């Protein structure tokens, strides 16, 4: 367990000599906006270390320098939350990276396969996951916790090697490029408060409603960040939607809303909400958000989508690739409705070669589906 900056500097110098390192973190987030980093695990082919970020006086700069070293591939499993922590604390995004969960989907291990499942399938080792939801902020950590934490990076070495070999053998190494680019993009982790409303699933359609929703969602985002509490601790999504619909212009109107706690309208937060509502409603109509255009699918598009789902499943099974990596449900809907004009990932690059061209042929009648010998197959006319 590394607890001093000198120890960390020495370890990171050794780790930087390797072509790759496997990385994982343990953190708590139930009561905070930002994850509370409690433990860092790293392994190279010949070194394994645990880093205690809660140790007094420890600087994580050597760790961040390693994450920024472009000569070392950083291997994660389901990397997004780990990278978010590194981005928040270190102001950087590791590069280059390799996400074994994404690679496993390309290699035919199914959709969003878990780490323990992947380790079991590749190495035959059955991991003990009973320590996963323990309190990682409590010191000292138990031997069981430490064993669990180390296993998250030691077995990842074998998983990485196996997947890398398979990707290169099958000529699919470049297939990961697009997914890794998303994980390495600053925009993935640096959400602007004014864009927070875009993550909310609502049925609001009127520009004034959307303007209010954007305004109060941005206020909530800033408030949650500054107080370091979950967004729901500031205001729940249901309250945002009701405020956007009812548009209370003063404290009395705010107090009549069902989702607002009694007396909350007299608080500074209540005043801020009312101010945000009024500011949104004074915007010129041209500056208010406009509802997304609803494209009415042509007749028969729904049936075409169902056929495309079958074709996608056939393709995924034949090629040994998770279906969700090839095309999303939204992709299929757009292809069914718009054909070759659909601007979707499934009609570009390797996805088009694998599936997109066949999808277009299916909806144009050049390919058919038939049931033979208890199996569905695609046939060209």
């Amino acid at each position: 367990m590394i607890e001093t900056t000198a120890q960390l500097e020495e370890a990171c110098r050794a780790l930087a000599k390797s072509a790759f390192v496997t990385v994982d973190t343990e953190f708590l987030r139930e009561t905070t906006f930002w994850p509370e980093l409690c433990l860092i695990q790293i392994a190279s082919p010949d070194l394994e270390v645990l880093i205690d970020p809660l140790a007094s006086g420890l600087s994580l700069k050597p760790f961040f320098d390693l994450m920024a070293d472009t000569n070392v591939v950083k291997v994660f499993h389901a990397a997004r939350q780990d990278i978010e922590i590194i981005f928040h604390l270190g102001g950087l995004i590791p590069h280059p990276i390799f996400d074994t969960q994404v690679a496993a989907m390309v290699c035919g291990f199914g959709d969003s396969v878990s780490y323990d499942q992947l380790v079991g399938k590749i190495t035959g080792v059955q991991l003990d996951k009973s320590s996963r939801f323990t309190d990682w902020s409590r010191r000292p950590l138990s031997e069981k916790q430490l064993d669990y934490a180390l296993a998250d990076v030691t077995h990842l070495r074998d998983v990485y090697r196996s997947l890398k070999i398979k990707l290169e053998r099958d000529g699919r190494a470049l297939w990961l490029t697009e997914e890794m680019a998303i994980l390495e993009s600053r925009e993935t982790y640096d959400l602007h408060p004014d864009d927070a409303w875009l993550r909310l699933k609502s049925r609001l359609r009127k520009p004034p409603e959307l303007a209010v929703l954007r305004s109060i969602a941005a206020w909530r985002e800033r408030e949650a960040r500054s107080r370091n509490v979950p967004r729901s601790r500031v205001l729940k999504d249901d309250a945002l939607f009701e405020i956007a619909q009812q548009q209370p212009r003063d404290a009395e109107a705010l107090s009549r809303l069902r989702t607002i706690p009694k007396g909350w309208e007299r608080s500074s937060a209540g005043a801020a909400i009312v101010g945000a509502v009024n500011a949104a409603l004074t915007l010129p109509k041209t500056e208010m958000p406009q509802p997304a255009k609803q494209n009415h699918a042509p007749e028969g598009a729904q049936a075409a989508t169902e056929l495309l789902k079958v074709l996608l499943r056939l393709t995924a099974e034949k090629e040994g690739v998770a279906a969700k990596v090839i095309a999303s449900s939204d992709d299929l809907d757009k292809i069914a409705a718009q054909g070759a004009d659909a601007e979707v990932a499934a009609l570009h690059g390797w996805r088009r070669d694998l599936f997109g061209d066949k999808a277009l042929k299916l909806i144009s009648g050049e390919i058919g589906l038939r049931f033979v010998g208890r199996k569905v197959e695609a046939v060209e006319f």
Side-chain angles (χ1 to χ4, degrees):
M1 177 70 80
I2 290 177
E3 297 178 323
T4 70
T5 303
Q7 290 174 327
L8 184 57
E9 288 174 343
E10 182 181 358
C12 287
R13 279 195 297 270
L15 291 164
K17 296 176 182 178
S18 302
F20 75 91
V21 293
T22 55
V23 188
D24 190 38
T25 63
E26 305 299 338
F27 57 90
L28 300 178
R29 198 174 194 168
E30 288 80 7
T31 61
T32 61
F33 183 89
W34 304 109
E36 180 187 352
L37 181 60
C38 300
L39 190 68
I40 303 171
Q41 308 98 278
I42 310 180
S44 68
D46 52 9
L47 181 62
E48 306 152 6
V49 299
L50 298 175
I51 305 167
D52 185 0
L54 303 182
S56 177
L58 175 68
S59 169
L60 290 178
K61 184 179 183 303
F63 167 71
F64 295 134
D65 289 343
L66 177 63
M67 293 296 98
D69 189 339
T70 57
N71 294 315
V72 182
V73 176
K74 275 66 69 172
V75 181
F76 299 86
H77 183 83
R80 190 173 295 244
Q81 290 194 87
D82 298 312
I83 294 177
E84 180 188 11
I85 291 172
I86 295 169
F87 175 73
H88 172 58
L89 295 178
L92 62 95
I93 295 175
H95 176 80
I97 64 171
F98 185 101
D99 189 324
T100 56
Q101 186 177 71
V102 178
M105 288 192 283
V106 172
C107 291
F109 286 92
D111 293 349
S112 304
V113 62
S114 67
Y115 176 66
D116 55 315
Q117 290 174 330
L118 191 57
V119 169
K121 290 179 178 180
I122 290 179
T123 71
V125 175
Q126 300 302 312
L127 297 179
D128 178 5
K129 303 295 287 184
S130 60
S131 296
R132 181 179 181 184
F133 295 110
T134 54
D135 185 354
W136 292 98
S137 66
R138 187 174 180 177
R139 294 295 184 270
L141 295 171
S142 68
E143 286 299 319
K144 188 175 181 180
Q145 285 178 302
L146 297 177
D147 289 343
Y148 164 88
L150 264 184
D152 274 352
V153 288
T154 53
H155 298 295
L156 191 56
R157 295 178 295 200
D158 294 328
V159 169
Y160 167 66
R161 292 188 186 102
S162 176
L163 293 175
K164 186 170 183 289
I165 290 172
K166 183 171 177 57
L167 288 168
E168 292 173 350
R169 184 190 66 209
D170 296 342
R172 296 179 178 181
L174 292 178
W175 291 17
L176 294 185
T177 302
E178 183 178 326
E179 298 299 327
M180 295 305 102
I182 294 173
L183 288 173
E184 291 181 355
S185 171
R186 192 178 188 91
E187 288 71 27
T188 301
Y189 311 96
D190 192 14
L191 175 69
H192 193 283
D194 289 341
D195 294 328
W197 71 286
L198 297 172
R199 290 190 174 185
L200 299 170
K201 296 180 180 179
S202 76
R203 297 181 179 179
L204 302 177
R205 300 285 303 162
K206 300 175 182 177
E209 293 176 340
L210 296 175
V212 172
L213 182 64
R214 180 178 64 183
S215 183
I216 58 178
W219 170 82
R220 183 181 72 167
E221 188 74 13
R222 294 187 179 94
E223 188 76 3
R225 292 186 184 192
S226 65
R227 290 166 49 188
N228 193 24
V229 296
R231 297 177 182 90
S232 60
R233 291 281 185 93
V234 177
L235 206 59
K236 295 186 182 300
D237 289 355
D238 288 347
L240 296 184
F241 301 146
E242 186 181 18
I243 292 168
Q245 286 181 312
Q246 300 302 321
Q247 301 163 19
R249 305 294 294 261
D250 52 41
E252 181 183 355
L254 185 64
S255 70
R256 292 197 293 267
L257 302 188
R258 293 183 302 171
T259 55
I260 299 300
K262 186 176 182 180
W264 198 77
E265 73 280 359
R266 296 190 297 271
S267 67
S268 59
I273 285 292
V274 170
V277 171
N278 285 310
L281 293 177
T282 57
L283 289 172
K285 289 185 177 180
T286 55
E287 295 182 18
M288 290 183 175
Q290 298 301 309
K293 292 183 179 180
Q294 292 183 317
N295 295 318
H296 296 287
E299 185 178 353
Q302 185 173 353
T305 297
E306 295 304 316
L307 290 176
L308 288 171
K309 289 179 180 178
V310 176
L311 180 65
L312 176 60
R313 187 159 57 248
L314 291 176
T315 303
E317 291 174 355
K318 178 182 177 182
E319 301 294 337
V321 183
K324 67 183 294 184
V325 176
I326 302 173
S328 67
S329 296
D330 188 52
D331 287 351
L332 301 185
D333 288 338
K334 289 181 178 179
I335 293 173
Q338 303 169 31
D341 293 331
E343 188 52 46
V344 295
L347 294 183
H348 292 280
W350 65 267
R351 292 177 173 86
R352 178 156 189 152
D353 295 336
L354 197 71
F355 170 75
D357 283 335
K358 288 187 289 186
L360 294 176
K361 288 182 178 180
L362 178 65
I363 62 175
S364 66
E366 298 175 61
I367 284 181
L369 299 173
R370 67 180 182 182
F371 188 72
V372 179
R374 298 185 178 183
K375 297 178 71 173
V376 178
E377 60 181 33
V379 291
E380 288 201 40
F381 300 128

